[in-house]
Amino acid sequence: MLRWTVIFIILAIIAGIFGFGGIAAGAAGIAKVLFFIFLVLFIISLITGRKNV
């Protein structure tokens, strides 16, 4: 999922350079959402990870 975030960020940067403001804003919004989903899943996996007790 982090890969998709990076892809959308790169797409937003490229679209912004070429002047496609709407596409850049949409891609940046998607990248933000995916990043926060990734962050939440990462924190959950840290909390519920394997414990060798």
Side-chain angles (χ1 to χ4, degrees):
M1 189 172 307
L2 188 59
R3 183 186 322 166
W4 283 106
T5 303
V6 173
I7 289 171
F8 278 111
I9 288 174
I10 292 170
L11 180 66
I13 291 170
I14 292 171
I17 289 171
F18 289 118
F20 299 109
I23 295 172
I30 292 171
K32 281 183 190 177
V33 170
L34 289 176
F35 176 74
F36 285 118
I37 290 172
F38 167 77
L39 195 62
V40 168
L41 291 176
F42 176 70
I43 291 170
I44 290 172
S45 70
L46 283 178
I47 293 171
T48 63
R50 293 185 185 188
K51 295 185 170 118
N52 295 328
V53 178

XYZ file of all heavy atoms in Angstrom:
402
model
N 0.831 -1.188 0.000
C 0.000 0.000 0.000
C 0.876 1.252 0.000
O 0.490 2.257 -0.572
C -0.907 -0.013 1.221
C -1.937 1.071 1.176
S -3.181 0.977 2.451
C -3.790 -0.654 2.291
N 2.023 1.155 0.634
C 2.926 2.305 0.628
C 3.417 2.587 -0.787
O 3.634 3.738 -1.151
C 4.102 2.042 1.567
C 5.035 3.212 1.815
C 4.268 4.388 2.401
C 6.151 2.808 2.749
N 3.548 1.553 -1.590
C 3.958 1.731 -2.993
C 2.935 2.575 -3.743
O 3.298 3.455 -4.525
C 4.115 0.376 -3.659
C 4.617 0.509 -5.091
C 4.665 -0.783 -5.853
N 5.080 -1.912 -5.061
C 4.936 -3.170 -5.450
N 4.395 -3.435 -6.600
N 5.318 -4.163 -4.691
N 1.643 2.331 -3.511
C 0.600 3.106 -4.191
C 0.637 4.563 -3.748
O 0.403 5.475 -4.547
C -0.781 2.507 -3.907
C -1.020 1.287 -4.723
C -1.008 0.014 -4.268
C -1.273 1.220 -6.120
N -1.244 -0.849 -5.299
C -1.419 -0.130 -6.450
C -1.403 2.167 -7.126
C -1.677 -0.550 -7.752
C -1.662 1.746 -8.417
C -1.801 0.401 -8.715
N 0.941 4.787 -2.471
C 1.054 6.155 -1.985
C 2.156 6.899 -2.720
O 1.969 8.031 -3.174
C 1.348 6.150 -0.472
O 0.316 5.435 0.200
C 1.425 7.555 0.071
N 3.303 6.251 -2.859
C 4.431 6.870 -3.561
C 4.082 7.116 -5.028
O 4.404 8.170 -5.584
C 5.691 5.997 -3.421
C 6.820 6.521 -4.279
C 6.125 5.916 -1.975
N 3.403 6.179 -5.654
C 3.009 6.342 -7.058
C 2.091 7.549 -7.223
O 2.266 8.362 -8.143
C 2.333 5.057 -7.589
C 3.376 3.946 -7.735
C 1.624 5.316 -8.915
C 2.793 2.582 -8.035
N 1.107 7.698 -6.332
C 0.188 8.828 -6.446
C 0.872 10.153 -6.129
O 0.535 11.182 -6.708
C -1.049 8.622 -5.567
C -2.077 7.751 -6.214
C -2.345 6.484 -5.730
C -2.782 8.180 -7.321
C -3.276 5.664 -6.326
C -3.724 7.381 -7.936
C -3.975 6.118 -7.427
N 1.840 10.146 -5.211
C 2.578 11.377 -4.941
C 3.381 11.790 -6.165
O 3.405 12.959 -6.556
C 3.492 11.207 -3.708
C 2.649 11.163 -2.454
C 4.518 12.326 -3.618
C 3.422 10.847 -1.197
N 4.057 10.836 -6.804
C 4.825 11.133 -8.016
C 3.901 11.615 -9.128
O 4.214 12.574 -9.840
C 5.642 9.904 -8.451
C 6.741 9.633 -7.420
C 6.251 10.105 -9.827
C 7.460 8.321 -7.617
N 2.744 10.978 -9.270
C 1.770 11.402 -10.271
C 1.300 12.826 -9.997
O 1.174 13.638 -10.930
C 0.573 10.449 -10.278
C -0.537 10.756 -11.255
C -0.034 10.601 -12.689
C -1.713 9.841 -11.015
N 1.081 13.164 -8.724
C 0.650 14.522 -8.373
C 1.733 15.544 -8.698
O 1.437 16.625 -9.202
C 0.292 14.584 -6.891
N 2.980 15.202 -8.427
C 4.081 16.125 -8.724
C 4.212 16.346 -10.227
O 4.344 17.483 -10.691
C 5.397 15.604 -8.117
C 5.338 15.684 -6.591
C 6.595 16.379 -8.639
C 6.473 14.973 -5.894
N 4.154 15.266 -10.995
C 4.274 15.384 -12.451
C 3.102 16.173 -13.024
O 3.280 17.050 -13.874
C 4.381 13.994 -13.099
C 5.722 13.358 -12.718
C 4.250 14.077 -14.606
C 5.839 11.892 -13.124
N 1.886 15.891 -12.544
C 0.715 16.626 -13.028
C 0.799 18.095 -12.649
O 0.401 18.969 -13.431
C -0.560 16.001 -12.467
N 1.324 18.388 -11.470
C 1.482 19.778 -11.053
C 2.492 20.525 -11.907
O 2.304 21.701 -12.229
N 3.564 19.838 -12.293
C 4.580 20.461 -13.137
C 4.002 20.823 -14.499
O 4.280 21.883 -15.045
C 5.805 19.530 -13.284
C 6.569 19.452 -11.968
C 6.733 20.000 -14.391
C 7.665 18.409 -11.949
N 3.176 19.949 -15.044
C 2.623 20.198 -16.368
C 1.345 21.038 -16.337
O 0.751 21.294 -17.372
C 2.356 18.881 -17.091
C 3.616 18.184 -17.509
C 3.927 16.939 -17.016
C 4.499 18.781 -18.398
C 5.091 16.295 -17.396
C 5.669 18.146 -18.778
C 5.965 16.898 -18.279
N 0.909 21.457 -15.153
C -0.202 22.392 -15.058
C -1.576 21.767 -14.975
O -2.568 22.445 -15.186
N -1.663 20.501 -14.671
C -2.963 19.855 -14.507
C -3.346 19.910 -13.034
O -3.170 18.952 -12.289
C -2.922 18.400 -14.990
C -2.580 18.257 -16.442
C -1.355 17.759 -16.841
C -3.490 18.631 -17.409
C -1.035 17.628 -18.177
C -3.185 18.503 -18.752
C -1.955 18.008 -19.131
N -3.879 21.039 -12.614
C -4.164 21.266 -11.200
C -5.170 20.313 -10.603
O -5.002 19.834 -9.491
N -6.239 20.043 -11.340
C -7.273 19.137 -10.825
C -6.763 17.722 -10.645
O -7.047 17.063 -9.646
N -5.989 17.258 -11.608
C -5.432 15.905 -11.522
C -4.424 15.829 -10.384
O -4.389 14.857 -9.629
C -4.784 15.504 -12.865
C -5.855 15.420 -13.949
C -4.057 14.171 -12.739
C -5.296 15.218 -15.347
N -3.616 16.867 -10.254
C -2.615 16.889 -9.186
C -3.283 16.879 -7.812
O -2.845 16.175 -6.903
C -1.705 18.095 -9.326
N -4.331 17.665 -7.658
C -5.030 17.714 -6.373
C -5.694 16.373 -6.065
O -5.668 15.915 -4.919
C -6.071 18.819 -6.393
N -6.272 15.749 -7.072
C -6.901 14.446 -6.871
C -5.895 13.377 -6.497
O -6.118 12.587 -5.576
N -4.767 13.356 -7.194
C -3.736 12.366 -6.897
C -3.134 12.601 -5.516
O -2.852 11.651 -4.784
C -2.647 12.395 -7.959
N -2.947 13.856 -5.151
C -2.407 14.157 -3.828
C -3.394 13.749 -2.737
O -2.994 13.240 -1.686
C -2.085 15.640 -3.717
N -4.673 13.951 -2.986
C -5.694 13.531 -2.021
C -5.719 12.029 -1.832
O -5.805 11.526 -0.705
N -5.620 11.297 -2.934
C -5.587 9.838 -2.861
C -4.334 9.380 -2.125
O -4.387 8.462 -1.305
C -5.659 9.225 -4.273
C -7.032 9.481 -4.886
C -5.373 7.732 -4.236
C -7.127 9.114 -6.351
N -3.209 10.025 -2.401
C -1.960 9.662 -1.728
C -2.059 9.884 -0.224
O -1.571 9.075 0.557
C -0.802 10.467 -2.307
N -2.707 10.975 0.198
C -2.875 11.235 1.627
C -3.723 10.154 2.282
O -3.381 9.651 3.354
C -3.551 12.589 1.849
C -2.660 13.766 1.719
C -3.465 15.022 2.050
C -2.712 16.268 1.722
N -3.514 17.466 1.986
N -4.820 9.808 1.652
C -5.712 8.789 2.207
C -4.983 7.458 2.326
O -5.031 6.790 3.367
C -6.989 8.651 1.354
C -7.794 7.435 1.763
C -7.835 9.908 1.456
N -4.286 7.058 1.257
C -3.561 5.789 1.292
C -2.462 5.800 2.345
O -2.223 4.796 3.013
C -2.975 5.481 -0.082
C -3.971 5.093 -1.159
C -3.261 4.903 -2.491
C -4.704 3.824 -0.778
N -1.796 6.935 2.510
C -0.747 7.022 3.517
C -1.312 6.825 4.915
O -0.751 6.093 5.729
C -0.015 8.359 3.432
C 1.009 8.538 4.511
C 2.201 7.850 4.455
C 0.755 9.373 5.579
C 3.145 8.003 5.457
C 1.695 9.533 6.585
C 2.893 8.840 6.527
N -2.443 7.474 5.216
C -3.011 7.340 6.547
C -3.565 5.937 6.782
O -3.469 5.406 7.892
C -4.078 8.411 6.791
C -3.475 9.764 7.031
C -3.731 10.817 6.178
C -2.628 9.973 8.097
C -3.169 12.058 6.393
C -2.058 11.222 8.327
C -2.328 12.262 7.470
N -4.114 5.304 5.751
C -4.549 3.914 5.891
C -3.348 3.025 6.176
O -3.390 2.157 7.052
C -5.301 3.445 4.630
C -6.647 4.151 4.529
C -5.489 1.932 4.643
C -7.378 3.900 3.229
N -2.250 3.242 5.443
C -1.034 2.482 5.674
C -0.538 2.699 7.100
O -0.142 1.754 7.777
C 0.053 2.889 4.676
C 1.422 2.388 5.029
C 1.750 1.070 4.790
C 2.356 3.218 5.608
C 3.002 0.587 5.121
C 3.604 2.755 5.942
C 3.928 1.431 5.705
N -0.558 3.934 7.569
C -0.072 4.247 8.906
C -0.904 3.541 9.973
O -0.356 2.968 10.921
C -0.098 5.760 9.112
C 0.682 6.323 10.277
C 2.164 6.016 10.110
C 0.469 7.819 10.356
N -2.220 3.557 9.834
C -3.099 2.895 10.795
C -2.853 1.393 10.794
O -2.743 0.766 11.855
C -4.578 3.224 10.490
C -5.515 2.322 11.274
C -4.874 4.682 10.784
N -2.743 0.794 9.607
C -2.496 -0.641 9.534
C -1.134 -1.004 10.122
O -0.988 -2.044 10.774
C -2.594 -1.124 8.084
C -3.985 -1.089 7.473
C -3.930 -1.493 6.009
C -4.929 -1.997 8.238
N -0.136 -0.151 9.928
C 1.181 -0.394 10.491
C 1.135 -0.371 12.011
O 1.701 -1.236 12.683
C 2.174 0.646 9.966
C 3.541 0.528 10.563
C 4.359 -0.537 10.240
C 4.001 1.484 11.443
C 5.615 -0.649 10.795
C 5.259 1.385 11.996
C 6.069 0.307 11.673
N 0.443 0.614 12.576
C 0.334 0.714 14.034
C -0.424 -0.480 14.596
O -0.030 -1.054 15.622
C -0.321 2.047 14.437
C 0.629 3.204 14.112
C -0.692 2.068 15.914
C 0.012 4.568 14.242
N -1.487 -0.889 13.924
C -2.245 -2.066 14.374
C -1.370 -3.308 14.326
O -1.396 -4.139 15.243
C -3.522 -2.248 13.521
C -4.518 -1.140 13.848
C -4.149 -3.612 13.773
C -5.729 -1.113 12.937
N -0.572 -3.455 13.278
C 0.292 -4.634 13.186
C 1.384 -4.614 14.254
O 1.810 -5.659 14.732
C 0.911 -4.744 11.794
O 1.851 -3.726 11.590
N 1.841 -3.421 14.647
C 2.809 -3.339 15.733
C 2.186 -3.761 17.063
O 2.818 -4.450 17.861
C 3.361 -1.918 15.862
C 4.403 -1.489 14.850
C 4.791 -0.031 15.101
C 5.629 -2.365 14.917
N 0.968 -3.343 17.287
C 0.289 -3.645 18.544
C -0.064 -5.127 18.636
O 0.114 -5.753 19.678
C -0.963 -2.772 18.703
C -0.553 -1.312 18.882
C -1.805 -3.227 19.895
C -1.710 -0.338 18.827
N -0.552 -5.693 17.543
C -1.019 -7.080 17.575
C 0.011 -8.047 17.029
O -0.326 -9.177 16.703
C -2.319 -7.223 16.766
O -2.043 -6.898 15.397
C -3.409 -6.342 17.309
N 1.265 -7.621 16.944
C 2.329 -8.459 16.401
C 2.582 -9.695 17.254
O 2.035 -9.868 18.341
N 3.431 -10.543 16.751
C 3.762 -11.774 17.477
C 4.522 -11.432 18.744
O 5.424 -10.621 18.747
C 4.625 -12.681 16.624
C 3.907 -13.217 15.438
C 4.797 -14.187 14.748
N 4.165 -14.627 13.521
C 4.621 -15.586 12.772
N 5.734 -16.201 13.095
N 3.988 -15.932 11.688
N 4.142 -12.120 19.794
C 4.805 -11.926 21.075
C 5.322 -13.271 21.548
O 4.564 -14.218 21.709
C 3.837 -11.328 22.077
C 3.386 -9.948 21.690
C 2.520 -9.320 22.745
C 2.343 -7.888 22.381
N 1.084 -7.420 22.115
N 6.610 -13.344 21.768
C 7.220 -14.580 22.258
C 7.294 -14.518 23.784
O 8.239 -14.020 24.365
C 8.622 -14.758 21.684
C 8.586 -14.939 20.179
O 7.631 -15.497 19.667
N 9.604 -14.472 19.497
N 6.256 -15.029 24.402
C 6.182 -14.977 25.865
C 6.498 -16.320 26.433
O 6.168 -17.327 25.994
C 4.792 -14.509 26.341
C 4.720 -14.507 27.837
C 4.518 -13.140 25.769
